[in-house]
């Protein structure tokens, strides 16, 4: 059943990816918070922005503030690969991964679903900028 549903949805994948790319462009253009690190796309590359992940040293305070303002966020990867229970014995780590483990504490995913309207996207950016003022 799931394959049948996804086969139908696959027809709209290009349009959905384009919509997420437009939302990402708007975020990148409208978010001016200096304390926030936005995603970047390497030259000559294309990103579909299945997720729009930013970094904030104040992640939990930011998430709480956004939620108070009606903006839901996510932390899709709360653990690095080598910390995942299923991989702990499967991944060989040489040395310490201090930077990776620090970055995991900063990441937060902003709303980027294809149906997000322009006004909703602008509001998310406005709320983020207000938090960092």
């Amino acid at each position: 059943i799931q394959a049948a549903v996804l086969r139908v949805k696959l027809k709209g994948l290009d349009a959905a990816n384009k919509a997420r790319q437009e939302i990402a462009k708007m975020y990148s253009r409208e978010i001016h918070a200096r304390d926030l690190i936005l995603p970047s796309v390497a030259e000559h590359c294309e990103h579909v922005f299945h997720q729009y992940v930013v970094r904030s040293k104040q992640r939990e305070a930011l998430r709480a503030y956004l939620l108070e303002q009606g903006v839901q966020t996510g932390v899709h990867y709360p653990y690095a690969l080598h910390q995942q229970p299923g991989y702990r014995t499967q991944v060989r780590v040489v040395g310490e991964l201090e930077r990776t483990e620090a970055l995991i504490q900063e990441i937060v995913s902003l709303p980027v679903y294809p149906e997000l309207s322009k006004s909703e996207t602008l509001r998310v950016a406005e709320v983020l900028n207000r938090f960092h003022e």
Side-chain angles (χ1 to χ4, degrees):
I1 293 175
Q2 187 176 16
V5 170
L6 291 175
R7 184 174 180 198
V8 171
K9 288 186 76 169
L10 192 58
K11 294 173 186 169
L13 182 61
D14 288 339
N17 287 343
K18 180 134 179 67
R20 281 192 295 273
Q21 288 170 327
E22 290 302 315
I23 292 165
K25 282 181 195 173
M26 202 176 312
Y27 279 153
S28 295
R29 187 175 54 245
E30 299 295 329
I31 297 172
H32 306 292
R34 285 185 223 125
D35 297 336
L36 208 60
I37 299 173
L38 306 180
S40 61
V41 179
E43 194 174 338
H44 306 295
C45 292
E46 187 174 310
H47 197 305
V48 296
F49 286 100
H50 174 68
Q51 297 171 7
Y52 191 90
V53 181
V54 299
R55 289 178 33 212
S56 173
K57 296 219 183 270
Q58 304 174 65
R59 179 179 73 185
E60 295 311 316
L62 173 63
R63 292 188 73 208
Y65 178 77
L66 290 169
L67 189 57
E68 285 175 12
Q69 302 300 313
V71 177
Q72 293 190 358
T73 61
V75 176
H76 288 93
Y77 303 103
Y79 305 102
L81 185 63
H82 70 284
Q83 296 171 322
Q84 297 284 345
Y87 286 101
R88 282 189 188 138
T89 60
Q90 304 300 316
V91 175
R92 192 178 90 196
V93 176
V94 177
E96 298 295 321
L97 300 179
E98 295 155 357
R99 180 140 170 81
T100 298
E101 292 171 10
L103 291 174
I104 288 294
Q105 303 303 313
E106 297 177 3
I107 58 173
V108 58
S109 299
L110 301 181
V112 70
Y113 53 92
E115 299 81 14
L116 194 67
S117 71
K118 180 178 179 179
S119 63
E120 290 169 323
T121 303
L122 291 172
R123 184 168 183 286
V124 172
E126 174 190 328
V127 171
L128 273 165
N129 289 334
R130 201 173 332 130
F131 175 81
H132 288 281
E133 287 177 349

